[in-house]
Amino acid sequence: MIPIRPVIRGTGHYLPARVVPNSEFAEWLDTSDEWIKSRSGIERRHFAAEGEFTSDLAIYAARAALANAGIDAADIDAVIVATSTPDYTFPAVATQVQAGLGITRGFAFDIQAVCAGFVFALANASGLIAAGQAKRVLVIGAETFSRIMDWTDRTTCVLFGDGAGAVVLEAQDGTGSAQDRGVLACDLNSDGRYRDLLFVDGGVSRDGRAGVLKMQGREVFRHAVEKLAATAESALDKAGLQASDVDWVVPHQANLRIIRGTAQKLGLPMEKVVVTVQDHGNTSAASIPLALSVANAEGRFKPGDLVLTEAIGGGLSWGAVLLRW
Ligand code: UT7
């Protein structure tokens, strides 16, 4: 039997029009451009406009990915949206995307693994494709984290932004070797004992509120570098490859110091790392597909390049997907 490989056929992204530079926070909050930049690498982020929702961002990104792939929306079998900031408690944002794109068949659902959401969604989409459940899947990360910020908490509200990124994943024949194009290995992890390190303090079942984000940043940071390097190594192991084989790392964009630390632990130079955190801030599940799309639009990936994605976030949940472009 010829093994099926889920291959990225197209990418797209959308960023809301409003750009908020660090200096804007300094006008009303006890912070500075210097602190934000030196501690996180963030220089600016985008915030969604009033009346602009996660599904709107997701639909724009999906349209761009379909155009980049040269695929009609009617040829999509499944839509998966990774998000922790859905428009409604239900239905899933993915069904709104489906309707927005005029797709009337197939299936659509959301995945909630916070900042690791896109990696979890990509792994799930790959599984569906490998199992023959779908041939073409739109995998989207879309967030409006500006809606769950505590604007009195300078330790969190300067770090996050809004945006969406999307990929079209398509079943293609492979040979089963690590030279195949497409997803080669996935590694997913969660440990709910760390829930209190990063969470939103409201919810449907608890109090009917959306709540605001709470983070013990220093503690999350401590876990991040170690767990990200471990999950990356694990994905490489599963594919029978090594860090030295990697052409590009597309990491979750939370903090430049975490991105640098992880690359260093893997023995990879920063020239091989896609960095967009300075322009987007932390867009949670949207950060990796945004970075993938920006780098792809710049023509940085060549066919055959080995691309490693890795992310960690609330849960804690973390993981990596290794793929060949
Ligand atoms: O995406 C999900 C995963 N999330 C992450 O990966 C985030 C992980 N954590 C981080 O990125 C970093 O821990 C932060 C950027 C959140 C913070 O950086 P840090 O180097 O760990 O700083 P810190 O929390 O140790 O705070 C250092 C100081 C504190 O003052 P004292 O106690 O030393 O007097 C803070 O009160 O910086 C102060 N501080 C600020 N100062 C100016 C905290 N926030 C601010 C601020 N402006 N916005």
Side-chain angles (χ1 to χ4, degrees), residues 13 18 20 27 96 124 144-145 165 194 204 216 223 231 252 255 289 301:
H13 67 272
R18 185 174 165 218
V20 179
E27 287 168 18
Q96 291 163 259
N124 275 274
T144 46
F145 259 51
Y194 298 119
V204 184
Q216 295 177 39
H223 284 281
T231 189
H252 171 47
N255 187 314
F301 306 133

Side-chain angles (χ1 to χ4, degrees), residues 31 35 39 115 154-155 217-218 252 254-255 257-258 282 312:
T31 189
W35 189 94
R39 297 293 175 131
C115 297
R154 68 174 183 170
T155 69
R218 214 176 305 182
H252 171 47
N255 187 314
R257 288 154 57 212
I258 294 175
N282 183 346
I312 186 166

Side-chain angles (χ1 to χ4, degrees), residues 29-32 35-36 38-40 42 114-116 145 153-160 198 215-222 224 228 252-258 282-284 312-314 316:
L29 193 66
D30 182 15
T31 189
S32 64
W35 189 94
I36 301 170
S38 64
R39 297 293 175 131
S40 71
I42 298 165
V114 204
C115 297
F145 259 51
D153 178 7
R154 68 174 183 170
T155 69
T156 54
C157 74
V158 300
L159 301 174
F160 293 87
L198 176 50
M215 178 165 71
Q216 295 177 39
R218 214 176 305 182
E219 277 302 296
V220 176
F221 193 113
R222 205 171 56 76
L228 288 172
H252 171 47
Q253 311 282 325
N255 187 314
L256 185 57
R257 288 154 57 212
I258 294 175
N282 183 346
T283 58
S284 185
I312 186 166
L316 295 174

